[in-house]
């Protein structure tokens, strides 16, 4: 008891002993307290020694407490910090209200943060008035209560976010039920529900879910329903399954619980017919498993699933019930079912039942084969006779005899009186040896028939020598001869005929002759016909083949009485076919019919002459005879004959003769059409002359069309149709001749506008816009009618890729185009301002200005003017590709030292380049340029890159990235009021006139310089331009500065 010992010693005045006692037990603070209480002279020294000892032994906490007790709070705080006790240092500050030293507070707060005491650091920061740092520290230290309270006072917009974070932290800390209210405060319904579910607060979760929309609520309702299902609270589970639009799950729940009535009621109310069907099937399967087959059948049938009931009876071997259901519900499968059952029963050896099902399936032959395979022949014969009749039973008996073989089989057939039917059946089956055996032993009169049928069988098997022997044995040599004739085996056919049937020899010759004729060996065929004493057949052969010379020779030699007839047939065939012969032959044939008064046949005879047989001139003469007869003798046929002959004459290019025939037939219109079709223009004019009805004009118009189609410009000029000649040349795209003819004929400018537009349009379509510009500049152009063409030309010219822009040809084309548009603008109303023509002019003009300045020696003024003009050109993305506009303007600004604007413009260019590569305009974000009111942002993007060199694009990208890292570069646009007079001026819309040098608005009248055509320039910019180029930027005329 040190305290008691102290009291005793001090009572005796032994202060030194009391101090020594405490020192001995290392309670130095108590020793110092005794010394100080007794005013010991070494008290102060003891305190200093104790402090030194504490510091030397790294007991900063006790040293700090010592200093705190002394009232040296700064030293105490320093020692607490040194000892890694920032919380105690903070307590000293807070308890002693030491908030005046900001550096000390900062130091303690940092120490608290480093020590992970973020909530204490937050308190300190809040005391210091550093509210954001306090909030950050509270959040980092998970002091969400302090953070929320602070946010409510000073950062109300962050309260919701903090509530959500608080809830997330509580979930991580497994305090899920406490997180729910914080999620509600944060309006995080999903997280609140998840938390309620995790905390198994099902009622609360259901209340939250009811406030969600249907799609979001469904999965939560399902989870809640599953809980109630597991808890066997089926009514609640059903209610939540229905709310989740999942009635099927509720039905499954009741099914698992064997509550069939509820399942059925719910199913019919919410489920489809198919789903209800599955419910009944599951119930039926349960009954089937319990042996209640009849009840299961009724359920299966009720949902139109008789196949399941059939299969059930099949598995239970209840075949009668199975067949009953098949017959009632699957009639088309009844036969197949009987066959299946029959085969199954046969395999089990139940042959009588198998027979029943075979016969029910009308497959009694299968029943017969079943009995045969089981050597039950009497049963097989019984079934065959019962279902197949006598013939079927005979075939089975014959098979039985075959199975017995030899004499036993013959005795069986004799016993059954089936010898002759058995022989017939053996023949039909190809068992000729058995047929011969039966016939020789019991019925020899059948032998010839068997030999004949055997011969026919051998012939089909191509065993011709054996077939011949059998034909001879059957006394049928003629059949053997016919066999060899059919095979064109003439030597064997002749051998058999000469040996067994000499009367058939001529027939063999005739057959061989026909074969020779078929292979066109007519000489051999003639010899054979003559050998067969059949010359008339040879004559027919020659006539049918059109071999009239051979036919005439044969008739004279062997059939002289038919020579005249053959000659007449020859002539008739030639005339009918329209081949062979001469004009005289056709005329003679026709005149013969004329002499006989057969006018119709005479006309037909003349018309037998066809193209390819006679020359067109001769054909025309022959056909005119047909027309002549029809005109005089067959007036009813006259129109028909004229039409036919006219058609034929047109086919052989005798249009003039055809036209004359049609005129004689009073068919003047048809005659003129025929003449024009044959390009007989003189004949057509002759026919039309004086006929009236506009026929002469029609002919002349057709002639002009003909000349135009033929490209005969000289002919058109002779007729005075200069415009038509120009049309021909334009269609042929022969522009040099067209302009030469136009100049020669002194065509009016209004006429030539059309052709200059056509040629320019063609050149633009061929990607030759520079040539199109030169054409438009050299020939008349109408701004109104050619406005779209001008737009296309401007777009194509100004839209050239960078590689093409650098050529002298392109620069010259831009200048010429600019001058052309200026001339067209001058011809418009002097007071007309704006409009598409002016936009095209200014876009082309500023492009020319940028190009001109780019060719000058770089200087500060030149580069500034170029940058301003390039920025002014940004107003025209409808005429110049957007990527070109922003690249040119960005590079010009970079070159002129306007890094801020260059960064903005080139960044936009890079976005455009990426969008072009991806063909996706949605990649563009216009926010950086939203303040640039003069710019428009079309929905479409260019299809090709202006800067096609990927390395060059990469260089631009690298520069932009390097500038973005420079804090001195401000990528924001200045306010519109501060842009006047700067390079930014062209970005903002204005009602003031635009400078023709830079395209920027001129906001002060004192700065305006009025030029030709009502153009206005900024005086300073115009003078700078003239100083370097010695020309007016607008008129192009030589000028001096006007300072």
């Amino acid at each position: 008891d040190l305290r008691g010992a102290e009291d005793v010693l001090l009572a005796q005045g032994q202060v030194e002993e009391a101090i020594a006692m405490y020192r001995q037990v290392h309670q130095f603070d108590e020793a110092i307290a005794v010394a100080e209480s007794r005013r010991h002279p070494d008290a102060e020294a003891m305190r200093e020694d104790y402090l030194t000892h504490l510091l030397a032994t790294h007991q900063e906490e006790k040293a700090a407490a010592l200093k705190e007790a002394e009232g040296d709070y700064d030293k105490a705080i320093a020692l607490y910090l040194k000892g890694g006790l920032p919380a105690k240092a903070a307590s000293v500050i807070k308890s002693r209200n030491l908030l005046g030293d900001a550096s000390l507070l900062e130091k303690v707060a940092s120490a608290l943060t480093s020590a992970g005491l973020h909530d204490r650091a937050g308190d300190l920061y809040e005391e210091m008035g550093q509210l954001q740092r306090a909030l950050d520290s509270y959040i980092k230290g998970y002091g969400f209560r302090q953070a929320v309270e602070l946010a409510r006072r000073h950062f109300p917009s962050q309260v919701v976010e903090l509530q959500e974070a608080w809830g997330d932290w509580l979930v991580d800390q497994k305090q899920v039920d406490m997180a729910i209210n914080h999620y509600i405060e944060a309006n995080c319904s999903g997280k609140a529900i998840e938390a309620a579910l995790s905390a198994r607060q099902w009622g609360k979760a259901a209340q939250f879910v009811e406030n969600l929309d249907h799609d979001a609520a469904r999965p939560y309702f399902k989870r809640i329903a599953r809980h109630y299902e597991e808890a066997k609270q089926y009514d609640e589970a059903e209610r939540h399954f229905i709310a989740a639009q999942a009635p099927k799950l509720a039905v499954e729940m009741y099914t698992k619980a064997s509550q069939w009535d509820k399942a059925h009621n719910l199913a019919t109310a919410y489920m489809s017919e198919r789903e209800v069907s599955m419910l009944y099937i599951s119930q039926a399967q349960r009954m089937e498993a319990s042996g209640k087959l009849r009840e299961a059948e009724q359920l299966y049938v009720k949902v139109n699933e008789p196949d399941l009931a059939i299969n059930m009876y099949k598995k239970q071997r209840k075949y009668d019930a199975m067949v009953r259901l098949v017959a009632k519900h699957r009639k088309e499968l009844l036969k197949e079912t009987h066959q299946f059952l029959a085969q199954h029963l046969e395999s089990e050896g139940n042959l009588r039942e198998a027979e029943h099902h075979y016969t029910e399936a009308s497959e009694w032959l299968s029943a017969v084969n079943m009995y045969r395979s089981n050597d039950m022949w009497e049963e097989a014969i019984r079934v065959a006779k019962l279902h197949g009749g006598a013939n079927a039973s005979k075939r089975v008996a014959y098979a039985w005899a075959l199975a017995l073989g030899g004499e036993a089989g013959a005795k069986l057939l004799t016993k059954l009186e089936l010898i002759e039917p058995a022989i017939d059946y053996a023949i039909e089956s190809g068992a000729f040896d058995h047929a011969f055996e039966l016939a020789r032993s019991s019925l020899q009169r059948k032998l010839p028939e068997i030999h004949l049928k055997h011969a026919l069988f051998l012939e089909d098997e191509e065993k011709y020598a054996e077939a011949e022997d059998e034909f001879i044995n059957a006394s049928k040599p003629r059949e053997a001869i016919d066999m060899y004739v059919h095979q064109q085996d003439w030597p064997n056919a002749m051998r058999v005929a000469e040996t067994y049937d000499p009367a058939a020899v001529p027939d063999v010759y005739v057959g061989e002759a026909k074969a020779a004729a078929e292979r066109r060996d007519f000489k051999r065929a003639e010899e054979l016909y003559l050998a067969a004493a059949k010359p008339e057949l040879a004559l027919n052969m020659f006539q049918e083949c059109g071999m009239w010379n051979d036919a005439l020779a044969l008739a004279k030699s062997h059939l002289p009485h038919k020579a005249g007839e053959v000659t007449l047939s020859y002539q008739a065939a030639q005339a009918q076919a329209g081949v062979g012969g001469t004009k005289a032959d056709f005329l003679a044939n026709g005149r013969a019919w004329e002499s006989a008064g057969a006018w119709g046949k005479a006309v037909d005879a003349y018309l037998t002459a066809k193209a390819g047989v006679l020359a067109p001139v001769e054909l025309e003469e022959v056909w005119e005879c047909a027309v002549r007869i029809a005109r005089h003798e067959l007036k009813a046929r006259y129109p028909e004959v004229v039409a036919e002959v006219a058609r034929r004459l047109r086919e052989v290019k005798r249009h003039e003769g055809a036209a004359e025939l049609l005129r004689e037939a009073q068919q003047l219109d048809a005659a003129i059409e025929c003449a024009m079709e044959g390009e007989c223009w003189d004949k057509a004019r002759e026919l039309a002359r004086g006929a009236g009805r506009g026929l002469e004009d029609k002919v002349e118009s057709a002639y002009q069309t003909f000349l135009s189609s033929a490209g005969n410009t000289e002919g058109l000029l002779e007729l005075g149709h200069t415009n038509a000649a120009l049309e021909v040349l334009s269609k042929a795209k022969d522009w040099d001749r067209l302009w030469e003819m136009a100049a020669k004929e002194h065509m009016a400018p209004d006429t030539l506008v059309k052709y200059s537009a056509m040629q320019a349009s063609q050149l633009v379509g061929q990607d030759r816009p520079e040539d199109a510009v030169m054409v438009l500049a050299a020939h008349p152009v109408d701004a109104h009618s050619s406005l779209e063409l001008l737009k296309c030309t401007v777009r194509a010219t100004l839209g050239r890729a960078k590689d093409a822009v650098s050529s002298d040809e392109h620069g010259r084309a831009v200048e010429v185009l600019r001058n052309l548009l200026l001339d067209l603008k001058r011809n418009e109303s002097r007071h007309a301002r704006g409009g598409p023509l002016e936009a095209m002019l200014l876009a082309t003009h500023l492009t020319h200005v940028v190009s001109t300045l780019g060719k000058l020696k770089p200087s500060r003024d030149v580069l500034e003017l170029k940058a301003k003009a390039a920025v002014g050109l940004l107003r025209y993305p409808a005429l110049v590709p957007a990527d070109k506009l922003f690249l040119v303007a960005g590079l010009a600004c970079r070159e002129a030292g306007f890094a801020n604007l260059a960064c903005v413009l080139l960044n936009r260019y890079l976005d455009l380049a990426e969008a072009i590569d991806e063909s996706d305009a949605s990649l563009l974000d216009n926010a950086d340029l939203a303040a640039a009111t003069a710019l428009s942002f079309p929905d479409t993007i260019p299809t090709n890159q202006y800067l096609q060199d990927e390395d060059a694009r990469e260089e631009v990208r690298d520069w932009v990235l390097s500038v973005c890292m420079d804090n001195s570069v401000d990528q924001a646009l200045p306010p519109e009021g501060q842009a006047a007079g700067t390079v930014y001026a062209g970005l903002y819309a204005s009602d003031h006139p635009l400078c023709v040098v830079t395209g920027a608005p001129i906001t002060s009248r004192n700065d305006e310089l009025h030029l030709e055509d009502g153009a206005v320039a900024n005086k300073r910019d115009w003078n700078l331009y003239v100083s370097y180029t010695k020309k007016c930027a607008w008129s192009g005329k030589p000028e001096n500065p006007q300072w």
Side-chain angles (χ1 to χ4, degrees):
D1 183 4
L2 296 179
R3 183 66 65 184
E6 175 192 340
D7 294 340
V8 171
L9 290 172
L10 291 178
Q12 296 176 2
Q14 298 181 13
V15 175
E16 293 291 343
E17 286 76 2
I19 294 171
M21 177 189 67
Y22 279 122
R23 281 182 172 177
Q24 186 176 359
V25 294
H26 301 288
Q27 293 189 12
F28 299 107
D29 49 348
E30 294 294 334
I32 293 169
V34 170
E36 288 179 342
S37 67
R38 298 298 176 176
R39 301 184 182 275
H40 193 281
D42 296 330
E44 187 64 31
M46 289 174 64
R47 181 177 291 278
E48 291 297 328
D49 291 343
Y50 182 42
L51 179 62
T52 302
H53 167 72
L54 290 175
L55 294 176
T57 57
H58 303 290
Q59 299 183 58
E60 284 84 359
E61 182 178 2
K62 288 186 177 182
L66 193 62
K67 285 296 181 181
E68 184 180 357
E70 293 176 357
D72 190 353
Y73 301 121
D74 292 340
K75 186 65 175 178
I77 291 170
L79 288 172
Y80 277 134
L81 293 177
K82 183 178 179 181
L85 300 166
K88 290 196 173 185
S91 297
V92 172
I93 291 173
K94 195 167 184 181
S95 63
R96 302 303 175 180
N97 197 22
L98 302 175
L99 303 174
D101 190 345
S103 61
L104 176 62
L105 295 177
E106 182 68 35
K107 187 175 181 181
V108 173
S110 299
L112 287 169
T113 301
S114 300
L117 301 173
H118 300 286
D119 53 341
R120 301 292 298 274
D123 290 338
L124 200 55
Y125 281 131
E126 189 173 354
E127 293 291 345
M128 295 165 61
Q130 298 186 26
L131 302 181
Q132 183 61 54
R133 296 180 70 181
L135 182 64
D136 293 340
S137 294
Y138 286 144
I139 294 172
K140 190 174 290 186
Y142 305 112
F144 289 105
R145 188 179 306 281
Q146 299 98 311
V148 169
E149 290 175 357
L150 177 61
R152 285 198 174 110
R153 295 194 301 271
H154 301 285
F155 305 102
S157 61
Q158 297 186 39
V159 171
V160 171
E161 181 181 348
L162 288 171
Q163 289 284 8
E164 182 180 1
W166 194 353
D168 292 341
W169 181 74
L170 288 171
V171 169
D172 292 339
Q173 300 302 310
K174 309 302 181 183
Q175 300 178 38
V176 184
D177 52 344
M178 297 178 64
I180 298 172
N181 291 332
H182 295 292
Y183 282 137
I184 295 301
E185 291 290 334
N187 198 26
C188 295
S189 302
K191 290 187 176 182
I193 294 169
E194 289 290 347
L197 293 174
S198 299
R200 304 186 66 79
Q201 295 187 20
W202 307 104
K204 184 178 289 189
Q207 292 176 3
F208 296 156
V209 172
E210 287 174 355
N211 295 323
L212 298 178
D213 59 67
H214 294 303
D215 292 337
R218 276 201 294 269
Y220 296 120
F221 277 129
K222 284 184 183 179
R223 291 173 62 181
I224 296 171
R226 290 296 188 193
H227 159 71
Y228 285 122
E229 179 182 359
E230 291 172 1
K232 301 187 183 305
Q233 298 181 32
Y234 296 123
D235 291 340
E236 283 296 315
E238 175 190 340
R239 186 170 66 83
H240 286 90
F241 275 131
I242 297 302
Q245 297 180 6
K248 184 177 180 181
L249 298 178
V251 173
E252 291 178 357
M253 174 188 71
Y254 282 130
T255 301
K256 291 176 185 177
S258 299
Q259 296 188 19
W260 297 104
D261 291 338
K262 288 188 176 182
H264 177 70
N265 293 336
L266 192 62
T268 53
Y270 292 99
M271 294 172 61
S272 66
E273 183 178 347
R274 173 177 170 75
E275 291 170 328
V276 174
S277 175
M278 295 303 297
L279 174 64
Y280 274 80
I281 289 172
S282 62
Q283 288 179 316
Q285 289 171 343
R286 287 174 179 267
M287 292 182 178
E288 179 182 345
S290 62
K292 299 178 180 180
L293 303 185
R294 191 68 179 177
E295 291 80 357
E297 174 193 334
Q298 292 176 352
L299 286 173
Y300 283 133
V301 172
K302 190 172 184 179
V303 292
N304 296 319
E305 290 291 346
D307 291 341
L308 297 177
I310 291 169
N311 193 51
M312 174 187 70
Y313 282 127
K314 175 184 172 184
K315 288 188 294 184
Q316 299 295 329
R317 299 179 62 83
K318 304 291 184 180
Y319 298 130
D320 291 340
M322 176 182 173
V323 170
R324 172 175 56 77
L325 288 179
V326 171
K328 184 176 180 181
H329 299 285
R330 292 287 184 266
K331 292 182 180 179
E332 71 280 3
L333 299 176
L334 183 59
K335 179 177 179 179
E336 183 179 337
T337 302
H338 278 300
Q339 286 179 315
F340 167 77
L341 292 176
Q343 292 166 359
H344 179 68
L345 291 167
E346 180 183 353
S347 67
E348 292 181 343
N350 192 346
L351 303 187
R352 185 67 68 180
E353 287 295 322
E355 176 193 339
H356 166 70
H357 287 290
Y358 275 132
T359 55
E360 288 294 324
S362 300
E363 291 289 338
W364 57 270
L365 282 174
S366 297
V368 170
N369 291 330
M370 174 185 69
Y371 283 127
R372 285 178 56 185
S373 62
N374 286 279
D375 204 24
M376 298 172 66
W377 291 99
E378 290 86 352
E379 294 297 326
I381 291 174
R382 175 183 61 77
V383 173
K385 187 172 184 180
L386 179 62
H387 298 283
N391 289 333
S393 65
K394 291 177 183 178
R395 286 196 293 272
V396 174
Y398 172 69
W400 189 3
L402 282 178
L404 293 173
E407 185 176 352
K411 286 181 179 179
L412 173 64
L413 293 173
T414 302
K415 176 183 175 183
L416 298 174
E417 299 180 353
L418 295 175
I419 288 293
E420 187 168 359
I423 292 173
D424 292 339
Y425 182 71
I427 292 172
E428 291 174 7
S429 304
F432 291 101
D433 291 341
H434 193 247
F436 280 125
E437 181 182 349
L438 291 175
R440 290 189 183 104
S441 62
S442 304
L443 199 64
Q444 293 191 2
R445 63 181 178 80
K446 293 282 286 185
L447 286 173
E449 180 183 350
I450 298 172
H451 281 298
L452 177 60
K453 291 186 177 180
H454 191 204
L456 294 173
F457 171 79
L458 291 170
E459 181 182 359
D460 292 338
E461 296 293 316
E462 299 184 356
K463 297 177 180 180
Y464 302 117
E466 297 175 28
E468 176 191 336
D469 293 339
E470 288 296 275
F471 279 130
I472 299 303
N473 290 335
S475 301
K476 298 289 185 179
R478 172 67 71 163
E479 278 73 7
I481 295 168
D482 290 342
M483 175 185 71
Y484 284 126
V485 168
H486 181 70
Q487 297 300 321
Q488 298 191 9
D489 185 353
W490 309 114
N492 281 325
M494 186 59 70
R495 174 181 56 77
V496 174
E498 291 174 345
T499 304
Y500 299 103
D501 192 0
V505 170
D507 295 336
V508 176
Y509 281 129
V510 169
E512 187 176 359
K514 289 179 179 178
E518 288 177 358
R519 63 176 183 270
R520 305 192 69 76
D521 187 356
F522 298 111
K523 188 66 176 175
R524 175 63 178 164
E526 179 185 3
E527 293 174 357
L528 292 169
Y529 278 133
L530 294 178
K534 299 288 185 178
E536 66 279 3
L537 296 179
L539 181 63
N540 290 338
M541 174 188 70
F542 285 134
Q543 287 179 319
E544 290 173 359
C545 294
M547 301 173 64
W548 294 103
N549 293 332
D550 294 298
L552 289 171
L554 179 66
K556 290 177 182 178
S557 301
H558 299 281
L559 298 167
H561 61 285
K562 289 195 172 185
E565 181 182 341
V566 173
T567 301
L568 291 175
S569 297
Y570 172 47
Q571 293 176 349
Q574 292 288 84
Q576 280 288 347
V579 297
T582 63
K583 179 181 76 173
D585 294 333
F586 290 106
L587 292 175
N589 192 29
R591 286 169 185 158
W593 292 112
E594 283 189 67
S595 300
W599 308 111
K601 291 187 176 181
V603 169
D604 295 337
Y606 287 127
L607 293 179
T608 55
K610 293 187 175 62
V613 178
L614 302 178
V617 175
E618 294 178 333
L619 286 171
E620 183 175 0
E621 183 178 346
V622 174
W623 290 338
E624 282 180 350
C625 293
V627 174
R628 172 179 52 79
I629 294 174
R631 184 189 307 122
H632 296 296
E633 308 297 341
L634 295 171
K635 297 187 185 303
R637 284 189 64 183
Y638 179 52
E640 171 198 340
V641 174
V642 167
E644 177 63 20
V645 171
R647 183 186 66 77
R648 293 189 182 189
L649 288 173
R650 288 158 77 172
E651 289 179 353
V652 297
K653 308 302 181 186
R654 302 291 292 177
H655 290 81
E656 190 167 348
E660 187 60 34
L661 284 179
L662 291 169
R663 179 170 70 171
E664 291 175 359
Q666 304 301 313
Q667 299 180 31
L668 187 58
D669 290 347
I672 293 172
E673 289 291 338
C674 179
M676 291 191 297
E677 178 187 316
E679 300 175 7
C680 302
W681 299 106
D682 291 339
K683 184 66 176 179
R685 288 192 181 99
E686 175 194 338
L687 294 170
R689 191 175 298 119
R693 293 185 291 121
L695 291 177
E696 290 187 70
D697 293 339
K698 179 180 180 181
V699 171
E700 290 305 317
S701 176
Y703 184 44
Q704 178 182 338
T705 302
F706 164 72
L707 292 174
S708 298
S709 301
N712 190 343
T713 54
E714 298 301 328
L716 290 169
L717 287 176
E718 288 179 6
L719 292 175
H721 299 307
T722 307
N723 288 337
L726 293 176
E727 283 292 325
V728 170
L729 292 174
S730 68
K731 290 179 181 177
K733 296 181 173 50
D734 191 350
W735 301 109
D736 292 339
R737 285 186 62 199
L738 184 146
W739 297 120
E740 180 183 349
M741 180 182 292
K744 183 178 179 181
E745 298 296 325
H746 304 291
M747 299 300 294
D750 292 344
T751 303
L752 300 181
V753 165
K754 169 184 176 182
Y755 301 110
S756 65
M758 289 174 64
Q759 185 180 5
S761 179
Q762 174 194 335
L763 292 169
V764 170
Q766 295 172 350
D767 197 23
R768 295 166 57 192
E770 292 84 3
D771 294 336
V773 169
M774 297 308 173
V775 168
L776 293 172
H779 303 292
V781 179
D782 176 60
H784 179 70
S785 61
S786 302
L787 187 60
E788 284 303 318
L789 171 62
L790 289 170
K791 284 183 183 178
C792 292
T793 306
V794 169
R795 289 193 187 107
T797 305
L798 302 187
R800 282 294 205 188
K802 182 169 175 56
D803 295 340
V805 167
S806 58
S807 68
D808 293 338
E809 178 190 8
H810 178 76
R812 175 61 182 157
V814 171
E815 182 179 4
V816 171
L817 179 59
R818 179 254 180 217
N819 295 336
L820 169 64
L821 293 170
L822 180 58
D823 290 340
L824 293 174
K825 184 63 179 173
R826 285 170 176 163
N827 292 332
E828 280 192 338
S829 170
R830 293 289 181 182
H831 303 289
R833 293 190 61 187
L837 188 59
E838 182 172 317
M840 288 187 276
L841 170 59
L842 292 177
T844 310
H845 169 71
L846 288 175
T847 301
H848 174 60
V849 169
V850 172
S851 175
T852 301
L853 293 170
K855 296 176 182 177
L856 299 177
K857 182 179 180 180
S859 68
R860 179 179 177 182
D861 292 335
V862 169
L863 294 178
E864 180 183 347
L865 281 180
K866 179 182 174 184
K868 286 183 176 180
V871 171
L873 192 56
L874 291 172
R875 295 170 177 264
Y876 305 103
L879 299 170
V880 186
D883 62 324
K884 174 181 178 180
L885 291 175
F886 282 95
L887 178 64
V888 171
L891 293 177
C893 290
R894 184 179 74 174
E895 193 176 5
F898 302 119
N900 294 353
L901 182 56
C903 184
V904 172
L905 297 178
L906 291 178
N907 195 41
R908 175 66 176 186
Y909 161 72
L910 293 175
D911 291 344
L912 281 164
E914 181 181 357
I916 292 170
D917 283 338
E918 299 296 330
S919 300
D920 186 359
S922 66
L923 298 176
L924 297 175
D925 183 1
N926 303 321
D928 291 344
L929 295 169
T933 55
L935 306 189
S936 60
F937 304 102
D939 294 333
T940 58
I941 58 175
T943 56
N944 297 310
Q945 297 279 1
Y946 167 69
L947 183 60
Q948 297 179 346
D949 185 353
E950 179 61 33
D951 292 337
R953 295 205 296 272
E954 193 62 32
E955 186 273 329
V956 174
R957 187 176 288 105
D958 292 342
W959 184 85
V960 171
L961 289 175
S962 66
V963 171
C964 288
M965 301 299 292
D966 187 350
N967 293 330
S968 64
V969 176
D970 183 5
Q971 299 183 39
L973 300 180
E976 184 175 353
Q978 299 177 14
T982 70
V983 71
Y984 293 95
L987 298 175
Y988 296 98
S990 174
D991 294 332
H992 296 288
L994 300 181
C995 174
V996 296
V997 179
T998 64
I1002 308 171
T1003 57
S1004 174
R1005 290 187 177 274
N1006 294 330
D1007 294 334
E1008 293 182 5
L1009 179 64
H1010 293 273
L1011 307 174
E1012 296 181 13
D1013 309 310
V1016 184
N1018 180 286
K1019 188 179 297 184
R1020 175 183 176 276
D1021 294 336
W1022 185 86
N1023 283 321
L1024 285 175
Y1025 185 90
V1026 172
S1027 297
Y1028 288 99
T1029 64
K1030 308 305 179 187
K1031 293 181 180 179
C1032 174
W1034 183 252
S1035 66
K1037 298 177 182 178
E1039 286 285 359
N1040 293 314
Q1042 301 178 17
W1043 297 103

